[in-house]
Amino acid sequence: MQFIETRGNDGKKSSSVAFSEAILSPSASYGGLYVPEALPAMGEEFLIQHLSSDYKTLALDVLQSFNIDIETEILEKALSRYDAFDDPSNPVPLVEIEEDCLVSELYHGPTRAFKDMALQPFGYILSKLAQERDENYLIMAATSGDTGPATLETFKDQPNVKVACLYPDGGTSDVQKLQMVTENADNLKVIGVKGNFDDTQHALKELLASEDFKAELKDRNIKLSAANSVNFGRIIFQIIYHIHSYLEMVRSGKIAMGDKIYLIVPSGNFGNALGGYYAKKAGLPVEKILIASNINNILTDWITMGTYDLTDRELILTESPAMDILKSSNIERVMFDKFGAQRTKELMDALTNEGKYTLTAAELASLQEDFSATFSNDEEGEAVIAKYAKKGYIMDPHTATCMKAYDLLREEKLPSVIYSTAEWTKFSTTVSKALGHGVKDDKEALQWVRTHANVSIPSMIEGLFDKEVKHTIVVEKESIKGEMLNFL
Ligand SMILES: *Cc1c(COP(=O)(O)O)cnc(C)c1O
């Protein structure tokens, strides 16, 4: 299968590329993204065939149904990364919290957030491709806390790839920071930046656009790639767990094969939700995908009113920081799928030039066939955490935003899957506060929640506090380039 461009072709790049090319060089013409030229059929026949498949078998078949240019052996090795999850035979457990509401726990990997689901196998494949081509790649990430640890972890000691990760000093939780600064490998660099996440992301964009930095990379024979969810190599792995969750519900007798369900997704860059959308289009019986946001509710406006307006917004810091996003990259892929390349380019150009766009009534109606949306503030999120803690289930603040969507948006009383994108241990001060005990640092909050709620803390989180700190650099934005050149 070939991959095509969301904004059409500019005559400089090739208008369609193989999967390997799309993941090594993920930027398409006019700043667009790559998407598959068609979706394979993964409807009832495919589902019935996989009723007794374990996660890796299902995953391999989903990947192969896209007919991508990666050898089976490499795919199998990539998927074996799931063997390091808590339960290798079931890396994504489903837990019932209401009669018709199941939590799909996507956080049982090494960094305790759902980023591992895609980044773990993706990192193996990207490094393998770089080795085969005898090329060297640099991946640069600006992180608000979950992407950084997961990107470092997947590329640690992998040949032909270097990773530099920028985080806002003081802008992440203690656990997230420790996950990054204790990583120990020669191919990894972690830099704290004085400022908030916006400043950090801005500094990264400036660096990547600077001509002399590009020239330095060229001199050193290093190519740039990206590991955020603009890369389709991440999205493809995010289709699989939606299918898995459905099959788990059939296996447990919650639904019969063919019954429709709701998928409820806490969203930021819309990669997780896009995976659900592709699964639905490929034939998974999904009534609708319900999008949960925090008060940075630009996705709610987009889905309920058809407007995407950055002009009157400032990013607000919340207790669900991985969803503190205003420019959501993956909705572009939904628009391409529904409205075509020409219209997508028109809308994305309007966003760049005027800071906003509005969909037509017909376009909005099409969007609403697949999505509904709502948002919660931090107080509502804390109330949800407290409510379910009383019932014996501890969830993190991102997952908590799903419950309002569950309560308000279901037009029919169909069973629902909510996606839990992080373990509570990454956001323990918020969880502790929600349970009535405000503390400043993670170490204390972790112990308090453990005792109070009788839950365990995995060894990779507990061990962080005794690990040696390897990366101590914290710099002003202006010094990032110098640090990078030293590293390279
Ligand atoms: C990345 C992340 C999200 C947002 O996922 P998108 O695919 O960007 O919409 C939500 N919750 C957590 C904990 C995350 O790390």
Side-chain angles (χ1 to χ4, degrees):
M1 172 163 335
Q2 289 290 105
F3 289 76
I4 55 178
E5 307 173 295
T6 50
R7 301 187 198 178
N9 187 250
D10 62 6
K12 292 176 214 147
K13 301 198 181 212
S14 160
S15 61
S16 82
V17 297
F19 179 77
S20 56
E21 197 57 39
I23 80 170
L24 289 170
S25 309
S27 178
S29 297
Y30 305 116
L33 307 175
Y34 287 109
V35 288
E37 59 185 349
L39 284 173
M42 293 183 286
E44 201 156 319
E45 194 184 339
F46 182 90
L47 296 173
I48 289 169
Q49 276 166 9
H50 290 87
L51 253 182
S52 54
S53 302
D54 63 16
Y55 195 86
K56 284 195 293 180
T57 309
L58 171 71
L60 185 64
D61 287 350
V62 171
L63 296 171
Q64 290 194 320
S65 66
F66 277 86
N67 212 348
I68 52 179
D69 64 332
I70 310 287
E71 293 155 43
T72 305
E73 196 193 325
I74 294 180
L75 293 178
E76 282 171 346
K77 284 234 173 81
L79 292 171
S80 71
R81 291 274 188 100
Y82 293 130
D83 293 345
F85 281 45
D86 293 343
D87 177 358
S89 72
N90 187 15
V92 184
L94 240 70
V95 179
E96 184 174 314
I97 59 166
E98 297 285 349
E99 172 76 32
D100 57 358
C101 182
L102 289 96
V103 184
S104 180
E105 296 180 344
L106 300 173
Y107 57 73
H108 288 274
T111 71
R112 316 315 280 176
F114 100 103
K115 302 292 189 288
D116 289 330
M117 289 307 304
L119 274 166
Q120 276 294 312
F122 168 84
Y124 180 83
I125 293 173
L126 193 136
S127 166
K128 259 304 201 234
L129 289 174
Q131 290 167 59
E132 279 175 1
R133 297 178 177 210
D134 201 17
E135 294 173 341
N136 288 297
Y137 284 85
L138 171 66
I139 306 255
M140 290 203 67
T143 186
S144 65
D146 285 338
T147 300
T151 307
L152 294 165
E153 186 66 26
T154 191
F155 289 113
K156 175 168 75 179
D157 293 319
Q158 294 294 300
N160 298 51
V161 182
K162 283 186 160 70
V163 178
C165 178
L166 309 179
Y167 69 92
D169 187 42
T172 67
S173 76
D174 303 339
V175 162
Q176 290 172 321
K177 178 173 173 182
L178 285 171
Q179 284 180 317
M180 293 185 273
V181 299
T182 60
E183 279 287 15
N184 183 15
D186 289 341
N187 67 329
L188 306 180
K189 174 91 175 172
V190 180
I191 304 173
V193 180
K194 290 188 185 148
N196 60 26
F197 177 57
D198 260 0
D199 301 327
T200 309
Q201 205 166 25
H202 192 73
L204 174 61
K205 280 197 180 136
E206 267 182 10
L207 180 67
L208 294 179
S210 99
E211 289 305 326
D212 59 324
F213 186 65
K214 283 192 224 166
E216 293 276 2
L217 291 180
K218 205 161 183 201
D219 279 353
R220 290 168 165 81
N221 216 352
I222 297 173
K223 297 178 181 239
L224 271 176
S225 185
N228 54 6
S229 59
V230 301
N231 197 314
F232 191 82
R234 271 186 56 182
I235 302 298
I236 198 168
F237 289 103
Q238 293 178 193
I239 298 170
I240 300 161
Y241 52 71
H242 296 287
I243 301 172
H244 165 81
S245 300
Y246 186 90
L247 289 171
E248 281 284 290
M249 285 173 84
V250 176
R251 287 193 274 261
S252 68
K254 275 281 138 199
I255 56 171
M257 179 62 81
D259 288 356
K260 290 209 167 162
I261 62 168
Y262 287 104
L263 309 179
I264 309 182
V265 186
S267 298
N269 254 330
F270 220 70
N272 196 352
L274 179 74
Y277 174 72
Y278 283 151
K280 179 175 192 278
K281 281 212 47 162
L284 193 72
V286 171
E287 177 65 22
K288 260 189 195 181
I289 300 156
L290 311 182
I291 301 301
S293 307
N294 62 29
I295 48 170
N296 294 292
N297 59 352
I298 199 156
L299 290 169
T300 310
D301 285 353
W302 182 61
I303 291 165
T304 56
M305 303 190 294
T307 53
Y308 203 95
D309 189 349
L310 292 167
T311 59
D312 61 353
R313 281 187 181 264
E314 284 212 33
L315 193 80
I316 303 163
L317 298 180
T318 72
E319 287 171 352
S320 43
M323 294 153 68
D324 291 347
I325 285 173
L326 292 180
K327 265 194 165 175
S328 181
S329 349
N330 277 300
I331 62 171
E332 175 168 353
R333 287 183 160 117
V334 175
M335 293 198 289
F336 169 80
D337 191 65
K338 288 180 173 290
F339 318 139
Q342 197 184 344
R343 178 66 173 150
T344 302
K345 180 167 185 298
E346 200 174 291
L347 293 167
M348 296 311 291
D349 284 349
L351 189 65
T352 308
N353 300 328
E354 288 134 48
K356 61 180 171 187
Y357 62 77
T358 305
L359 303 179
T360 65
E363 287 167 344
L364 177 59
S366 167
L367 191 60
Q368 292 177 344
E369 281 171 21
D370 294 297
F371 300 101
S372 300
T374 189
F375 67 97
S376 322
N377 63 29
D378 284 345
E379 291 69 39
E380 290 170 316
E382 285 178 25
V384 167
I385 293 171
K387 173 180 168 187
Y388 283 94
K390 281 212 184 86
K391 298 183 176 201
Y393 190 79
I394 301 292
M395 62 175 78
D396 98 293
H398 301 79
T399 312
T401 63
C402 293
M403 297 319 293
K404 190 162 167 189
Y406 168 78
D407 287 336
L408 293 186
L409 297 181
R410 293 182 309 151
E411 288 151 27
E412 296 175 57
K413 291 270 168 257
L414 298 175
S416 307
V417 178
I418 74 171
Y419 288 96
S420 183
T421 46
E423 188 175 57
W424 70 271
T425 55
K426 285 191 104 165
F427 302 97
S428 57
T429 54
T430 299
V431 174
S432 171
K433 180 165 159 240
L435 304 189
H437 185 78
V439 284
K440 278 263 167 320
D441 70 273
D442 283 18
K443 201 171 178 179
E444 195 184 334
L446 281 164
Q447 301 314 329
W448 188 83
V449 176
R450 164 158 58 192
T451 315
H452 185 82
N454 193 22
V455 276
S456 58
I457 299 169
S459 58
M460 63 280 249
I461 295 290
E462 193 146 45
L464 282 173
F465 296 92
D466 303 319
K467 260 175 113 174
E468 189 186 346
V469 172
K470 289 284 173 188
H471 306 266
T472 52
I473 295 167
V474 178
V475 298
E476 302 285 348
K477 287 192 298 194
E478 296 69 34
S479 312
I480 296 172
K481 193 191 288 173
E483 286 296 334
M484 283 303 300
L485 294 179
N486 275 342
F487 166 55
L488 297 172

